[in-house]
Amino acid sequence: MTNRIILINFITLTFLKIINFYKLIIMNDKKTNYWNNNLKYVGILLSVWFMVSFGFSILLKDYLDSYSFAGFKLGFWFAQQGSMYVFVIIIFIYVYLINSLDRVYKKEKDN
């Protein structure tokens, strides 16, 4: 009789450990997916900012100077003002993307 009880307890504990391990794997998978999406957003947005601040204002300056914006050469404008404006816009885009990502993963967490 005691052997049966020990066996039932062992099976029950093993089953509970398997369930907890499965939950841990799912939670880590969701956290990993969340951070992978977050890093993807950061990488894309920083690439855009790099292209605008370094590419447009330094590398493509001579080409962009053939155009004008508000009376200024476009390459000069990107170097002085454009990269700051783009950075502020990128901040708002990042906030929107992360808020939408949080909503998606909060819904998954609640389910």
Side-chain angles (χ1 to χ4, degrees):
M1 183 73 174
T2 57
N3 287 340
R4 250 188 229 169
I5 294 173
I6 291 172
L7 182 62
I8 291 172
N9 285 338
F10 177 74
I11 292 172
T12 306
L13 288 174
T14 305
F15 183 70
L16 290 174
K17 286 181 182 179
I18 290 171
I19 290 173
N20 286 335
F21 183 70
Y22 180 71
K23 286 181 183 177
L24 182 67
I25 289 173
I26 289 174
M27 287 301 291
N28 283 340
D29 189 41
K30 286 181 183 178
K31 289 178 184 177
T32 302
N33 288 339
Y34 176 85
W35 284 109
N36 284 340
N37 286 334
N38 188 5
L39 291 176
K40 179 176 69 173
Y41 293 154
V42 169
I44 291 170
L45 293 174
L46 285 178
S47 298
V48 169
W49 187 45
F50 174 78
M51 187 60 197
V52 169
S53 64
F54 185 73
F56 289 174
S57 61
I58 296 173
L59 297 178
L60 298 174
K61 180 187 175 297
D62 295 331
Y63 175 75
L64 292 175
D65 278 343
S66 61
Y67 302 101
S68 64
F69 179 76
F72 298 101
K73 294 181 179 179
L74 192 58
F76 173 78
W77 185 83
F78 268 112
Q80 298 301 315
Q81 301 294 326
S83 61
M84 289 185 289
Y85 289 146
V86 170
F87 182 68
V88 171
I89 292 168
I90 284 174
I91 290 172
F92 286 110
I93 292 171
Y94 179 73
V95 167
Y96 173 77
L97 289 173
I98 291 302
N99 284 339
S100 64
L101 190 65
D102 286 342
R103 281 191 296 271
V104 167
Y105 279 93
K106 185 177 182 200
K107 285 180 184 177
E108 288 182 7
K109 185 179 177 184
D110 291 341
N111 291 335

